[in-house]
Amino acid sequence: MFKLSGYNFKFCILFQIIFVLFFSISAFAAGEQKRVQKHDWTFAGIFGHYDDAQLQRGFQVYREVCSSCHSMNYVYYRNLAEEGGPGFTVEEVKVIASEDMIIDGPDDYGEMFERPGKPSDTFVSPYANQNEARASNGGAYPPDFSVLAKARSTLRGFPWWFVDLFTGYQEQGVDYIYALLNGYSEPPDDFILQSGMHYNEYYPGNQIAMGQPLYEESVEYADGTAASVEQMAEDVSAFMMWAAEPKLEIRKQMGFKVAIFLFVLAGLLYYSKKKIWARIEH
Amino acid sequence: MSKESTYIPKSGFSKWFDQRLPLPRMLHDNINAFPTPRNLNYWYTFGGILTFCLVTQIVTGIVLAMHYTADAGLAFASVEHIMRNVNYGWLIRYIHAVGASMFFLAVYVHIFRGLYYGSYKAPREILWILGVVIYLLMVITAFMGYVLPWGQMSFWGATVITNLFSVIPVVGTTITEWLWGGFAVDNATLKRFFSLHYLMPFMIFGVVILHIWSLHVTGNNNPVGVSVKEKQDTVPFAPYYTVKDAFSLVCFLILFAWFIFFNPNILGHTDNYIMADPLVTPAHIVPEWYLLPFYAILRAIPSKLGGVLVMGAAIAILFILPWLDTSKVRSATFRPLYKQFYWIFVVNCIALGYLGSQNPEGLFLVASRICTAYYFIHFLLVLPILGLVEKPKPIPESITKAVLEKMEIRNMKEKSAEA
C-alpha cells in the first residue's frame, strides 16, 4: 500500500470515495416522492432576468386564485412598480392597491376602520390570523407566499448538490412549486388517502390538504395568453420567485460589474507580483 | 526571533511621535520590514484572507445590527425587512451569510495547511493553540449567528445544540435552562444569542492579535519546514508578500462574489426561510456545512453523553496535537508515510462532513462510526507511531538551498523541453 506514489494514492482514495457515495445515494434516494424536473426559467443562470409579462400574469393568478387562502405579508403594493419587478406603472399600482380594503386604525375615537389600500400597504391578507386560516382550511395552514419559493427545495442527491455550487442553479424551490401545481392526479388503487386530503405525486408523503387550485381557464389573462394549467402554474411560480427574491435582477447585474472589476484587479496584481518577485530567485 | 528595529523616523514630527508612542515603528517592523521566508507558497496566503473575512463579518454585522430586531416575534420579519426595504440590505446580508461560509472555507484551508507543513511543532505550539481557540470561538459565533434569523433551522438547531448540555450529570438540566433563560428555546435565548454574537467577534479579534504576535515572535513556518538561518532565507514582507497576499485575496474574492451574486442561498438551508415554529419539527435537522463533520461524530456514538464527549474531544485533541506528533521533521514534503496518511485524514474529514448531512441509519451510521474511529486513530495512533518508524527524506540545509535547487530542476526541465 505504501508503494503507491503520493499522487496515485490520492486519486485512488478520492475515486473510491466518490464511487461509493454515488452508489449509496442512488440506492437510498429511491423514495416514493417523484423527482422534480428542472424547468426553464428566464431568471435562471447568470444572465437571468424576470419576464415582466409573465410576472403580471402570475400576479393575476395569485390575485384571482391563490390570494383567497394565501397571504403575502412581506410584499408591498409599491413593489409591483419597482425596478426588476412586474413592471406596473405607479398609476396602475395605485389602482390595484385601492381595489383591496385595508383595516386601519384606531382612529381618533378608538375605532378600527376600513379604507382602500395604498401603494405603501402590504398585500392584504385573506385571514385575520393563523387560527382563522386554519379554521377555514380544515386545520391546515396555507403558508405565506412571500418567501415560499426560497423555502422549498427538491432532493438533488450526489453529485448534483456539488455541481449546483458552480452552475448557480438556485431554482429548486420554484421548480418544486411548478411541479406541485401540475402534480395532482388520481391516487393509485392501493393508496389510502385520508379524508379531506388530495393526492399529489410531488408532495412529501403524497397527501396534501390543498385541493387542486388551478384548472383550465381558471383566469382569463388580460394579455390574451391561453390559460392552461401549465401556463398558470408557470406564471404564478415565477411571480412567487420574484416575491421571494425581488432584488434578483439588480443582484445579478451588479455581480457582473463586480466580477469584471475583480478579474481586472486580479490581472494587475498578478503582473505586479511577477514583476516584484523577478527581483529575487524563487 | 526578537529583531532590531529598522524604523528610521524621517520628519521632526515622526521623531517626536516615535519617542512618545512608537506605533509607526511597530507597524513598520511588523508589516513593512517583517522578515518572511522567501519560499512561502499560496497556501500561506490564507492568514491574510482570514483577517479580511473577520473584518468583513464585523463591518457587515454592525450594519445588519442597525436594522435587525432581536425578538422572537419580529426577528424573521426584520430580516425580510433588510432584504426588501433597506438600501442594499440584500447585499449586506448576503455578504454576511456567504461570508460565514467563506470564513470557514478559508480557516479549513489554513488549518490543513498547518497540518501538512507541521506548523504546530516547536517552537509554534502556542501559535497553533491560539489558532484552535480562534476556531472554537468561530464555531460558537457562527452557531449563534445562525440562530438570529429565527427560521426553522435556527430554532431547531439551537434546540438540538443547547440540549447537549442536559447530558451533564446532576446539573445538566439546570445549566440548559440557564442557557435558555427559560424552559425552552425562546425570546430570552434569541436575545442573549444576539448579544453574544455581537460580542464574540471582538474576542476573536483579540485572540487574532495574540495569534499574529506569536507568529511574529517565532516567525513563519515554510513549505520545507527548515527554520530561517540567515538573512538571505527571508524577504521583507512588503512588497513581496503584500502583493502575493493581495493577488490571492482577490482570487478568493472572485469565488466569494460568485456566491454572493449568483448563488447566495445554496450554502444555507431552505427551511430557514420558514419562520421558527416550536410545534413543527423539520424532517431533518442539520447544521451548516462547516459543522457537519462534528455532527456526524456526535451522532455516531450510541449514547447521548458519549456523543457529546467524543464530539468535544474531536476539537480538544487539536490542542494537544503538538505533543502527539513525535516526528521532528515539520514538512510532509520530507515525510513519505505521513504524506499518505495526511491525505487519508483529509478524505476522512470530508467523508465525515458528508455523513453529517445524511440520516444516521444503515450504512451511513456504520460509515460514520468507522470515520469517527479513524479520526481519533489518526491523532492517537498514527501520528505518535509514525514519528518513530518513518524514515524521512533528506532535508535541505537551508531555505535558500531548497529554493535554488528547485530553480535548477525547473531550468533543466525547461531546457530539455526546448531541446
Side-chain angles (χ1 to χ4, degrees):
Chain A
M1 159 178 181
F2 300 134
K3 277 178 192 155
L4 280 165
S5 78
Y7 243 85
N8 286 336
F9 193 73
K10 259 178 269 175
F11 277 102
C12 255
I13 294 267
L14 273 176
F15 181 75
Q16 280 178 14
I17 292 277
I18 287 166
F19 195 74
V20 169
L21 288 184
F22 184 76
F23 279 94
S24 57
I25 291 309
S26 350
F28 276 87
E32 40 186 323
Q33 198 183 330
K34 208 171 150 187
R35 272 286 165 106
V36 170
Q37 296 296 313
K38 228 169 146 171
H39 191 69
D40 239 349
W41 301 104
T42 59
F43 46 83
I46 51 173
F47 299 105
H49 60 88
Y50 292 115
D51 172 352
D52 289 2
Q54 183 177 50
L55 293 189
Q56 293 201 3
R57 289 196 302 271
F59 172 63
Q60 194 185 344
V61 176
Y62 169 71
R63 204 152 201 236
E64 293 177 16
V65 183
C66 321
S67 72
S68 56
C69 298
H70 291 275
S71 60
M72 230 163 176
N73 289 334
Y74 301 125
V75 182
Y76 294 81
Y77 292 105
R78 63 174 161 80
N79 294 147
L80 294 168
E82 280 167 11
E83 210 193 319
F88 288 107
T89 63
V90 176
E91 290 311 311
E92 283 170 329
V93 169
K94 279 183 184 160
V95 175
I96 290 168
S98 69
E99 284 164 7
D100 288 332
M101 292 308 280
I102 309 279
I103 297 171
D104 202 349
D107 62 14
D108 293 348
Y109 305 99
E111 305 288 336
M112 302 302 278
F113 59 92
E114 275 204 335
R115 60 160 175 82
K118 290 182 288 192
S120 57
D121 288 314
T122 54
F123 280 16
V124 70
S125 174
Y127 303 108
N129 49 54
Q130 221 191 87
N131 292 14
E132 194 197 345
R134 281 190 194 278
S136 313
N137 289 283
Y141 172 59
D144 184 88
F145 270 10
S146 311
V147 283
L148 201 66
K150 288 198 287 188
R152 293 291 181 272
S153 194
T154 56
L155 188 69
R156 289 292 281 165
F158 189 81
W160 293 110
W161 60 261
F162 188 74
V163 175
D164 291 345
L165 291 177
F166 302 99
T167 57
Y169 173 53
Q170 285 245 287
E171 287 71 41
Q172 291 96 333
V174 68
D175 277 349
Y176 168 77
I177 292 169
Y178 175 70
L180 184 91
L181 290 171
N182 287 309
Y184 285 91
S185 62
E186 284 301 312
D189 292 337
D190 57 341
F191 191 87
I192 303 157
L193 200 62
Q194 287 168 352
S195 77
M197 301 298 267
H198 308 270
Y199 186 80
N200 190 306
E201 46 189 1
Y202 294 102
Y203 193 74
N206 302 125
Q207 304 206 39
I208 182 167
M210 171 173 76
Q212 182 173 345
L214 298 172
Y215 292 93
E216 272 330 89
E217 306 292 329
S218 282
V219 300
E220 197 180 317
Y221 276 132
D223 65 359
T225 307
S228 64
V229 173
E230 288 84 8
Q231 182 68 45
M232 288 183 290
E234 186 182 48
D235 293 343
V236 79
S237 304
F239 176 71
M240 287 168 72
M241 187 69 221
W242 166 77
E245 195 68 12
K247 314 288 182 177
L248 178 141
E249 277 187 15
I250 186 175
R251 167 161 62 76
K252 291 186 178 181
Q253 284 162 9
M254 190 191 283
F256 259 97
K257 292 177 199 157
V258 170
I260 290 167
F261 170 79
L262 287 175
F263 275 110
V264 170
L265 184 60
L268 292 174
L269 283 167
Y270 177 72
Y271 286 105
S272 309
K273 190 243 157 201
K274 265 191 104 146
K275 187 148 191 235
I276 287 170
W277 279 80
R279 296 178 201 163
I280 59 159
E281 290 172 313
H282 68 281
Chain B
M1 224 167 61
S2 49
K3 306 146 289 272
E4 270 170 42
S5 179
T6 55
Y7 178 67
I8 301 157
K10 285 190 187 95
S11 67
F13 173 74
S14 54
K15 252 181 224 157
W16 179 87
F17 197 89
D18 188 52
Q19 281 157 7
R20 283 151 184 84
L21 178 72
L23 183 69
R25 176 183 296 276
M26 196 266 274
L27 294 177
H28 171 86
D29 291 343
N30 281 295
I31 297 173
N32 284 357
F34 185 68
T36 313
R38 61 195 279 182
N39 61 340
L40 300 189
N41 57 29
Y42 279 105
W43 299 112
Y44 282 79
T45 60
F46 278 81
I49 287 171
L50 283 162
T51 314
F52 174 87
C53 285
L54 178 61
V55 172
T56 305
Q57 290 303 89
I58 289 178
V59 171
T60 52
I62 288 172
V63 178
L64 287 173
M66 294 173 188
H67 303 281
Y68 169 78
T69 313
D71 180 284
L74 302 170
F76 189 84
S78 77
V79 171
E80 277 309 309
H81 165 70
I82 290 169
M83 293 295 288
R84 290 158 191 275
N85 303 325
V86 174
N87 289 333
Y88 295 103
W90 60 269
L91 176 62
I92 295 163
R93 174 165 174 259
Y94 278 154
I95 292 174
H96 198 74
V98 172
S101 280
M102 292 296 119
F103 204 163
F104 274 95
L105 178 68
V107 88
Y108 285 132
V109 173
H110 195 62
I111 291 172
F112 277 98
R113 190 269 291 147
L115 291 175
Y116 189 83
Y117 293 119
S119 303
Y120 47 85
K121 294 185 190 182
R124 297 185 183 82
E125 300 94 326
I126 299 287
L127 176 59
W128 169 261
I129 288 170
L130 287 169
V132 180
V133 170
I134 293 170
Y135 172 67
L136 195 58
L137 288 173
M138 276 175 65
V139 168
I140 300 169
T141 310
F143 160 68
M144 288 180 169
Y146 193 59
V147 175
L148 301 186
W150 209 239
Q152 273 290 68
M153 266 316 146
S154 301
F155 180 87
W156 289 98
T159 304
V160 168
I161 300 301
T162 49
N163 260 311
L164 296 180
F165 291 90
S166 68
V167 300
I168 302 169
V170 189
V171 291
T173 313
T174 318
I175 289 180
T176 310
E177 284 170 4
W178 176 72
L179 287 173
W180 286 337
F183 298 99
V185 173
D186 206 342
N187 196 38
T189 325
L190 175 62
K191 279 180 147 45
R192 63 191 54 192
F193 276 23
F194 175 59
S195 174
L196 294 172
H197 182 70
Y198 205 116
L199 166 71
M200 295 194 58
F202 297 97
M203 292 168 65
I204 294 177
F205 202 90
V207 186
V208 166
I209 289 172
L210 297 181
H211 189 68
I212 294 173
W213 184 8
S214 173
L215 169 73
H216 282 213
V217 172
T218 62
N220 289 75
N221 183 29
N222 64 82
V224 292
V226 180
S227 299
V228 170
K229 284 174 186 145
E230 44 198 0
K231 195 158 181 287
Q232 56 170 347
D233 286 347
T234 65
V235 290
F237 192 80
Y240 292 97
Y241 284 108
T242 39
V243 74
K244 193 166 180 171
D245 280 4
F247 172 61
S248 181
L249 173 64
V250 171
C251 292
F252 184 79
L253 287 183
I254 291 171
L255 180 73
F256 202 151
W258 161 255
F259 282 112
I260 293 169
F261 293 105
F262 298 108
N263 224 350
N265 289 308
I266 196 119
L267 298 165
H269 198 292
T270 43
D271 275 8
N272 232 26
Y273 278 110
I274 304 170
M275 192 174 153
D277 186 348
L279 301 177
V280 181
T281 317
H284 310 286
I285 303 174
V286 282
E288 293 285 80
W289 69 267
Y290 41 82
L291 301 178
L292 287 171
F294 297 106
Y295 199 50
I297 292 174
L298 172 73
R299 299 188 301 177
I301 310 297
S303 103
K304 199 174 160 190
L305 177 61
V308 174
L309 288 175
V310 173
M311 183 176 71
I315 291 186
I317 204 164
L318 295 173
F319 283 102
I320 54 166
L321 170 64
W323 296 276
L324 290 174
D325 189 341
T326 49
S327 173
K328 291 275 173 272
V329 180
R330 291 200 192 103
S331 173
T333 314
F334 307 106
R335 297 185 61 190
L337 289 184
Y338 174 70
K339 198 193 253 178
Q340 294 178 354
F341 280 105
Y342 171 85
W343 285 110
I344 296 174
F345 181 71
V346 171
V347 171
N348 189 61
C349 288
I350 294 170
L352 275 172
Y354 176 73
L355 293 164
S357 72
Q358 300 297 319
N359 274 343
E361 51 192 23
L363 279 178
F364 289 125
L365 184 59
V366 177
S368 302
R369 289 185 175 154
I370 295 171
C371 291
T372 301
Y374 187 76
Y375 181 91
F376 288 97
I377 288 172
H378 177 81
F379 287 111
L380 295 174
L381 287 175
V382 174
L383 288 184
I385 295 174
L386 222 48
L388 305 175
V389 301
E390 186 181 44
K391 202 167 161 262
K393 287 187 199 165
I395 292 162
E397 270 169 57
S398 73
I399 293 173
T400 308
K401 276 242 168 90
V403 171
L404 296 180
E405 224 165 74
K406 217 173 108 190
M407 274 192 68
E408 229 164 72
I409 294 170
R410 203 192 307 148
N411 288 344
M412 262 160 54
K413 267 189 193 157
E414 267 166 30
K415 261 182 208 156
S416 64
E418 274 165 29

